[in-house]
Amino acid sequence: MKKILILVIMAFIFLNFTISAKTSIEKKDSREKIYTDIIFTFLRSTIDKAIDDYYHDVAWSTPGYGGADYTNILRIERINEPNQYRPQRFIVEIEVEPYIGPHITVGKDRIIMEIDPDAEVHLIKFEHLESYEMPEHYDGFYLDPPIIKEKDSN
């Protein structure tokens, strides 16, 4: 009898854990997060190349970026074309904070891209907005020391 009671309790705990884990996953994957992740998956290679092209000339290492977690979508805009209903050409403008090592952000950059009707992404503009002060053990990150701005604490 004790064994059956223990099995029932264990089954109840397992079932409760499974239901709460599923609910937790559903809350994490909101529709907005999924769409944002899809956008960054689609844009990733263009963003990677833009970051690499800029930092290749100014730093000893190309920083990475953490997708949607280290990036803000500033605007997504449809480019209106005459005599077309819902044209499939878009401008996407983002701000990204690339990082090195254990997520030490090196600065802030603005990237503007165009998505054409063939789903090809074209870099329109890359602008380095700010360079952040690096910790002492990363002092040599920049080849020529940039003008450093204090990083916003927000």
Side-chain angles (χ1 to χ4, degrees), residues 58-139:
V58 300
W60 60 264
S61 175
T62 299
Y65 81 101
D69 293 335
Y70 285 79
T71 309
N72 290 321
I73 298 175
L74 301 176
R75 72 182 166 114
I76 298 178
E77 184 177 299
R78 184 187 305 271
I79 299 174
N80 290 320
E81 296 176 0
N83 302 322
Q84 263 196 331
Y85 172 70
R86 292 177 59 190
Q88 301 299 302
R89 186 177 302 275
F90 302 92
I91 294 290
V92 180
E93 182 175 355
I94 65 168
E95 274 186 358
V96 61
E97 292 188 312
Y99 63 83
I100 58 169
H103 293 254
I104 299 168
T105 54
V106 300
K108 183 184 288 187
D109 304 309
R110 181 171 291 136
I111 303 173
I112 301 173
M113 296 160 281
E114 178 184 335
I115 303 172
D116 71 20
D118 294 324
E120 291 184 19
V121 181
H122 307 278
L123 178 67
I124 301 297
K125 183 178 181 181
F126 180 93
E127 183 180 7
H128 181 69
L129 303 174
E130 297 180 42
S131 296
Y132 297 150
E133 189 172 352
M134 302 300 290
E136 196 172 299
H137 56 284
Y138 283 100
D139 266 352

Side-chain angles (χ1 to χ4, degrees), residues 2-20:
K2 285 183 180 181
K3 288 182 180 181
I4 293 175
L5 183 60
I6 290 173
L7 285 174
V8 169
I9 291 172
M10 288 176 63
F12 177 75
I13 290 171
F14 177 76
L15 181 61
N16 191 27
F17 176 75
T18 304
I19 290 171
S20 90

Side-chain angles (χ1 to χ4, degrees), residues 20-86:
S20 90
K22 182 179 179 188
T23 304
S24 172
I25 290 170
E26 288 171 358
K27 287 180 184 176
K28 287 181 187 174
D29 271 349
S30 70
R31 185 175 290 225
E32 182 179 335
K33 283 185 180 182
I34 290 172
Y35 289 166
T36 300
D37 288 345
I38 289 170
I39 290 168
F40 282 106
T41 300
F42 183 66
L43 300 176
R44 183 176 254 327
S45 64
T46 303
I47 295 169
D48 285 345
K49 183 169 179 1
I51 290 171
D52 183 54
D53 287 350
Y54 174 78
Y55 286 95
H56 176 77
D57 294 331
V58 300
W60 60 264
S61 175
T62 299
Y65 81 101
D69 293 335
Y70 285 79
T71 309
N72 290 321
I73 298 175
L74 301 176
R75 72 182 166 114
I76 298 178
E77 184 177 299
R78 184 187 305 271
I79 299 174
N80 290 320
E81 296 176 0
N83 302 322
Q84 263 196 331
Y85 172 70
R86 292 177 59 190

